Amino acid sequence: MHTLTDTDEELVTVNLTNRFPFFGTNRRELTLSTNGWLTLTADYAGPTAPDNVPMPDPAEPNDVVAPYWDDLDVISLCTHEDGTGRFIAQWRATVKTSGEEIAFQAILYDETHGQAGDVEFVYGALGAVHDGDSATVGIENDDGLSW
């Protein structure tokens, strides 16, 4: 389990217990951004990318899973592997432009799960002003040209 609290513009790298199949390649590592996205690019050392862009986009970051990519101040970002083939990343954050608190998850199903390679987005409370209208939501491959 990894946890970040009260932070902004941070990246954290996580080694996965099991492989996660993503666009035909098995991945063992991911990097989480406090700005509501993660990348499955190994050893990612690029920008934290607070300014979300439409997807797909060939600029870094690529291999992206973005449940709510926007300029966020993280209250907490934590990860958990639950022993059933699921890796869960959960963000609790405020949207910088409104100060509204939001909560969301990305769930990745690894090679041991019946839904191997699937990605699920789960949303808790979203703001009244920022209900996702300024965020980028989606996935893209390693060259940023397909989703």
Side-chain angles (χ1 to χ4, degrees):
M1 178 182 234
H2 294 275
T3 303
L4 291 173
T5 57
D6 299 319
T7 188
D8 186 31
E9 309 309 325
E10 297 271 340
L11 296 171
V12 61
T13 299
V14 176
N15 292 312
L16 301 172
T17 302
N18 297 307
R19 293 183 300 247
F20 174 69
F22 192 67
F23 287 102
T25 303
N26 288 322
R27 311 303 175 97
R28 295 295 297 234
E29 175 183 291
L30 59 82
T31 301
L32 297 143
S33 169
T34 54
N35 289 307
W37 58 269
L38 63 87
T39 178
L40 289 136
T41 299
D43 301 318
Y44 178 78
T48 59
D51 300 320
N52 53 309
V53 296
M55 294 167 73
D57 186 327
E60 282 191 338
N62 289 313
D63 276 335
V64 170
V65 173
Y68 195 106
W69 181 3
D70 208 344
D71 195 3
L72 306 174
D73 283 328
V74 162
I75 297 166
S76 67
L77 169 56
C78 57
T79 65
H80 177 69
E81 288 185 88
D82 69 0
T84 66
R86 301 182 321 157
F87 172 85
I88 303 164
Q90 178 172 298
W91 288 260
R92 233 180 85 232
T94 55
V95 179
K96 280 193 179 176
T97 55
S98 70
E100 292 180 303
E101 188 171 317
I102 59 173
F104 55 93
Q105 297 177 336
I107 303 171
L108 282 60
Y109 293 87
D110 71 28
E111 66 185 349
T112 67
H113 196 280
Q115 295 174 256
D118 282 3
V119 176
E120 179 181 1
F121 297 152
V122 178
Y123 299 91
L126 295 179
V129 174
H130 284 93
D131 57 0
D133 59 334
S134 66
T136 298
V137 176
I139 63 173
E140 71 175 20
N141 67 352
D142 61 347
D143 62 12
L145 298 177
S146 299
W147 66 87

